[in-house]
Amino acid sequence: VFLAFSADGTLFATAGRNDRLVRIWYQNQQLLLPNQSVDLAVSGTAVTYSFIYVAHPRPVTGFSWRDTSRYMPRGAVANMLVTNCKDNICRLWSETVLPDDGLICMQQLDPAAAQDP
């Protein structure tokens, strides 16, 4: 079983033995527009998490988050996850925030995929 937290603590990744899918977990947060406010008495204090899958062609053998300085402000640098699986290829996954909905998306950085066939 694999478990690792991102350097800023906003994400964590999990995978089981012989899994081909890594789960990237993130905290559900309400996004507010500048003219909105939160009523804490109504919203409660429950913390919930969601996840996305990062697929691999073979079982995952390990992963690690990129280290950043402890003095770096949270969110100043995008989180990156390095994964490896039984096909002996390391993959880099970079955090992006979609402008319309604020959901987290992990994109694979693969130079070969960017080239024309």
Side-chain angles (χ1 to χ4, degrees):
V1 177
F2 303 101
L3 169 69
F5 288 88
S6 62
D8 65 1
T10 59
L11 304 172
F12 63 96
T14 60
R17 201 172 93 160
N18 296 321
D19 276 351
R20 292 183 182 192
L21 298 172
V22 174
R23 286 184 181 175
I24 309 294
W25 296 84
Y26 59 94
Q27 184 178 349
N28 293 325
Q29 297 177 349
Q30 181 180 6
L31 298 177
L32 298 176
L33 298 175
N35 61 351
Q36 294 178 323
S37 63
V38 175
D39 182 4
L40 295 178
V42 175
S43 66
T45 59
V47 177
T48 60
Y49 290 87
S50 294
F51 62 88
I52 60 167
Y53 284 116
V54 178
H56 293 76
R58 302 275 186 266
V60 174
T61 57
F63 50 75
S64 176
W65 291 96
R66 172 177 63 175
D67 287 335
T68 58
S69 170
R70 68 159 68 167
Y71 303 109
M72 192 68 78
R74 181 177 281 187
V77 177
N79 288 304
M80 292 185 76
L81 181 69
V82 179
T83 62
N84 54 304
C85 65
K86 288 190 177 181
D87 66 356
N88 294 323
I89 296 175
C90 290
R91 292 168 174 83
L92 295 174
W93 304 87
S94 177
E95 172 190 25
T96 58
V97 177
L98 302 175
D100 293 338
D101 56 15
L103 295 176
I104 294 174
C105 175
M106 299 295 281
Q107 295 178 331
Q108 182 178 5
L109 301 177
D110 185 1
Q115 297 175 356
D116 291 329

